[in-house]
Amino acid sequence: MLEVAGLVTMETYTTDDALTAMGFGKFQALVLVYAGTGWLADSMELMLLSFVGPLIRQQWNVSAQHESLLSSVVFTGMLIGACSWGYISDKYGRRTALLFSIILTTGAGFLSALSPNYTFLLVFRFLVGLGVGGTHVFSSWFLEFVPTKNRGTWMIVFSVFWTIGTILEASLAWVVLSRLSWRWLLAFTAVPCFLLLLLFIIAPESPRYLCVQNRLSDATVVLERIAKANKVSLPPGVLTYHKETQLVGLDQNPISQNGHLPVRENDCTVDNAMSSKSGGIEALRILFSRKLLRSTLLIWFVWFANAFAYYGLVLLSSQLSDANRRCTSGQKSEVRQKNVNLYKDVFITSLAEFPGLVISAIIVDWLGRKATMWILLFGCCAFLGPLAVHQKESLTTALLFGARACGMGSSTVLCLYAPEVYPTSARSTGVGIASAIGRIGGIICPIIAVGMLRSCHQMEAILVFELVLGVAGVACILFPLETKGREMK
């Protein structure tokens, strides 16, 4: 400290200062694995829908409409859950939202395997969807531990867990369904979430969230844990919201630069201007404020388009080849594919995500978030364009591979961009609502991908995808903020 006319200067640092000084180390790696396992578990629960529906229809002799209802209730639960867990996360903490979403997903997942009839299965799968709706909290929670530098690259690495989950579920289905019943597949799919529950005690609260709640002493404890695990030191001084030097009188009462006494809590400086309110109406007010309204509306549409494209491309992989056979030969009856072909299709589309992740990882911190998203969205349009007319099966597979790679890359960068745009007090609420809007895209896309193709309207189906993705690309160009290298508020 330096004494000046009866006053001394007190050094301070922000959460961003601390995370930048400590870098990405062992602690962040553990958070990455935990949060990544959450994404892996949720992707497995979603991919499960590709395999269970036909088996349920066969065993309980339900109609095709009831089979599709099994997927619809999951997406409906996810839509409700995405908004709910975002609110809980901003209001009561990231750990609280994670804990209860994990408990719900795990419990409902195991209970699904014990369902005595179709009605009970629908109820339990709805609850699974409700729990899986909290997936976005894992990504926001993880990003709040990552330093600004190379944050984009680490988000891409985090997204690899989702792809691993899809491949793992396809492998699990291949092995389990050939030897055991669909009930065992449901039970095994719930195991990763159960492991998260067992290890939850080691998951820390986000220091950014703690700062917003004026719990700076608790935030400091978490930062000290990070420093100890990474074997580095925190910056000198005390934790505060703003990067400024505080003036302290000789009686040790800190005096801010404007001459007012700031609030003190556990000997940590707290800015008077910061409010402890978060979540609920306050979060919505922030999302629709003049500064963020344009970003919010554009993010909603781009999230809708990415979800529409992602789930649509998964369905196109299996529906296009079938449509080509039926429509070119004049056969109007549905030809059911063998299970082995279904597994193969899932493997191919899942593996396509890896090059998409690699490409986005290379350019996201070079060209920026906005440019990466619109380049990949327009690239997805370019791959889908030739599929407006019938192509050979090998060319169809190659084009879908490229489209899926671009679509995955764009979706991943969007999952990075949205949390960077919103402040901590409204981050999970903002991303949660955007995720819910995306679920609507997931619900609508089967009408296009399946309905039009089964009616032999392939060109019209592809044109709809082109329109949605093209407008989303333009929306990315119109984003008012570029968050590359920008500190999280």
Side-chain angles (χ1 to χ4, degrees), residues 160-369:
V160 172
F161 283 88
W162 181 277
T163 302
I164 293 174
T166 62
I167 296 174
L168 181 59
E169 184 65 23
S171 305
L172 194 61
W174 201 330
V175 173
V176 172
L177 295 180
S178 62
R179 294 169 174 80
L180 303 169
S181 71
W182 56 267
R183 296 180 184 276
W184 284 100
L185 181 61
L186 289 173
F188 285 133
T189 301
V191 169
C193 237
F194 178 67
L195 295 177
L196 287 176
L197 191 59
L198 294 179
L199 298 174
F200 180 77
I201 192 173
I202 67 172
E205 182 57 271
S206 162
R208 296 183 187 275
Y209 170 80
L210 293 172
C211 280
V212 168
Q213 297 299 314
N214 288 345
R215 296 165 56 187
L216 293 186
S217 60
D218 293 334
T220 302
V221 171
V222 175
L223 292 174
E224 288 172 347
R225 284 181 58 189
I226 299 174
K228 182 177 180 180
N230 292 356
K231 296 181 179 180
V232 294
S233 299
L234 286 173
V238 296
L239 179 63
T240 187
Y241 284 119
H242 296 297
K243 192 183 299 181
E244 62 181 21
T245 300
Q246 301 292 341
L247 297 178
V248 185
L250 294 179
D251 59 354
Q252 297 304 306
N253 286 322
I255 304 174
S256 65
Q257 291 179 345
N258 61 11
H260 293 92
L261 285 172
V263 180
R264 286 179 63 85
E265 179 176 321
N266 298 326
D267 296 327
C268 291
T269 309
V270 182
D271 193 298
N272 268 332
M274 292 300 295
S275 169
S276 63
K277 294 180 180 179
S278 60
I281 301 301
E282 178 66 16
L284 291 175
R285 186 191 64 78
I286 294 172
L287 298 181
F288 292 104
S289 64
R290 289 176 57 188
K291 290 184 178 181
L292 288 176
L293 178 60
R294 180 177 167 186
S295 293
T296 294
L297 296 178
L298 290 173
I299 286 173
W300 283 4
F301 179 76
V302 176
W303 210 298
F304 170 89
N306 273 281
F308 185 94
Y310 183 87
Y311 295 112
L313 287 169
V314 172
L315 292 170
L316 284 176
S317 300
S318 59
Q319 293 294 327
L320 270 181
S321 59
D322 179 55
N324 286 341
R325 286 195 303 270
R326 291 185 297 104
C327 297
T328 56
S329 63
Q331 298 175 359
K332 298 299 180 182
S333 60
E334 180 181 353
V335 179
R336 183 176 296 276
Q337 292 182 312
K338 295 181 179 179
N339 286 337
V340 173
N341 289 333
L342 177 60
Y343 301 141
K344 182 192 70 174
D345 291 337
V346 174
F347 265 114
I348 292 175
T349 56
S350 298
L351 290 174
E353 296 181 6
F354 283 113
L357 292 172
V358 171
I359 293 171
S360 56
I362 292 173
I363 64 177
V364 70
D365 282 321
W366 176 39
L367 298 179
R369 283 47 162 159

Side-chain angles (χ1 to χ4, degrees), residues 15 29 54 91 116 127 145 241 301 352 395 444:
T15 307
K91 189 70 175 179
L127 294 177
F145 286 93
Y241 284 119
F301 179 76
L395 181 57
I444 293 176

Side-chain angles (χ1 to χ4, degrees), residues 57-201:
R57 181 180 179 183
Q58 180 181 2
Q59 177 170 335
W60 283 333
N61 195 28
V62 299
S63 65
Q65 289 75 19
H66 283 88
E67 177 189 342
S68 62
L69 184 60
L70 193 60
S71 297
S72 298
V73 296
V74 175
F75 279 106
T76 302
M78 291 171 66
L79 191 154
I80 298 172
C83 296
S84 302
W85 297 121
Y87 168 81
I88 293 171
S89 177
D90 283 335
K91 189 70 175 179
Y92 302 105
R94 312 309 191 220
R95 291 185 85 248
T96 301
L98 289 176
L99 174 61
F100 286 102
S101 67
I102 291 171
I103 290 175
L104 186 58
T105 306
T106 304
F110 283 124
L111 288 173
S112 297
L114 302 174
S115 300
N117 54 48
Y118 176 75
T119 303
F120 274 92
L121 182 62
L122 279 182
V123 172
F124 291 138
R125 295 316 293 175
F126 170 79
L127 294 177
V128 168
L130 204 61
V132 171
T135 301
H136 65 88
V137 181
F138 282 107
S139 60
S140 297
W141 177 69
F142 167 66
L143 286 176
E144 289 179 346
F145 286 93
V146 180
T148 302
K149 184 179 180 181
N150 298 326
R151 189 166 58 220
T153 301
W154 283 113
M155 182 60 192
I156 305 300
V157 173
F158 171 75
S159 299
V160 172
F161 283 88
W162 181 277
T163 302
I164 293 174
T166 62
I167 296 174
L168 181 59
E169 184 65 23
S171 305
L172 194 61
W174 201 330
V175 173
V176 172
L177 295 180
S178 62
R179 294 169 174 80
L180 303 169
S181 71
W182 56 267
R183 296 180 184 276
W184 284 100
L185 181 61
L186 289 173
F188 285 133
T189 301
V191 169
C193 237
F194 178 67
L195 295 177
L196 287 176
L197 191 59
L198 294 179
L199 298 174
F200 180 77
I201 192 173

Side-chain angles (χ1 to χ4, degrees), residues 4-22:
V4 180
L7 300 175
V8 294
T9 59
M10 175 185 291
E11 292 186 87
T12 63
Y13 63 89
T14 64
T15 307
D16 271 304
D17 294 333
L19 292 174
T20 299
M22 293 184 290

